[in-house]
Amino acid sequence: TIGLNEAQFGIAAPPWLGQLMIRTIGFRKGEEALTLGTLFSPEDALSIGLVDKLVEGDAVVDASYEVARTFTKIPPQARFASKMLARKEFLDDLVENRDTDTAHFCNFILNDTVQLGLGAYLEKLKRK
């Protein structure tokens, strides 16, 4: 499975990671997944665009090399400039809000109620 299941044990994903999820799979599905702490099956992850393809375990390395070879056919400057067109605003926001996001997450995670939820979640994992 794949996803951000933090909500299941009483915390929220860090803002930058939650925003990335929303940008990747869309606002409505992303908000729902973050709120419920959804973990997606491989097939569901593929259908919503969270992953690009499904590959059997013994073929992962070869498939990764094939993707890498595809990208090496594009001049690096063009590849970088194209990625920055899509990501610059997000990266700038990440850098600008790093300290605020870190403080928010640390304050949240140290909250007594959140700590109780995390403890309960860890106990549940021990019983598996």
Side-chain angles (χ1 to χ4, degrees):
T1 59
I2 185 172
L4 300 174
N5 66 334
E6 287 85 344
Q8 291 184 23
F9 46 89
I11 66 172
W16 63 271
L17 193 54
Q19 292 166 6
L20 181 58
M21 172 73 88
I22 289 169
R23 289 185 57 192
T24 302
I25 67 174
F27 186 86
R28 186 176 185 297
K29 183 55 87 175
E31 180 184 36
E32 179 183 35
L34 289 168
T35 302
L36 297 175
T38 304
L39 292 175
F40 296 97
S41 70
E43 295 76 18
D44 288 341
L46 181 64
S47 74
I48 64 171
L50 189 55
V51 298
D52 294 327
K53 66 175 11 180
L54 300 180
V55 179
E56 292 296 326
D58 58 351
V60 168
V61 173
D62 290 339
S64 299
Y65 278 121
E66 185 58 38
V67 170
R69 280 191 288 276
T70 300
F71 281 101
T72 63
K73 295 175 185 174
I74 307 299
Q77 300 87 346
R79 193 171 63 242
F80 175 79
S82 296
K83 281 191 171 240
M84 288 308 290
L85 282 172
R87 298 179 180 183
K88 185 175 183 339
E89 183 180 335
F90 178 71
L91 292 170
D92 289 347
D93 184 63
L94 180 66
V95 170
E96 182 180 323
N97 293 306
R98 180 183 319 182
D99 292 338
T100 302
D101 286 350
T102 301
H104 172 77
F105 182 77
C106 289
N107 288 333
F108 184 80
I109 203 76
L110 294 173
N111 176 282
D112 290 341
T113 303
V114 172
Q115 286 292 306
L116 286 172
L118 286 172
Y121 182 76
L122 291 173
E123 287 300 320
K124 180 180 166 186
L125 289 177
K126 286 181 187 177
R127 291 190 298 267
K128 283 189 172 185

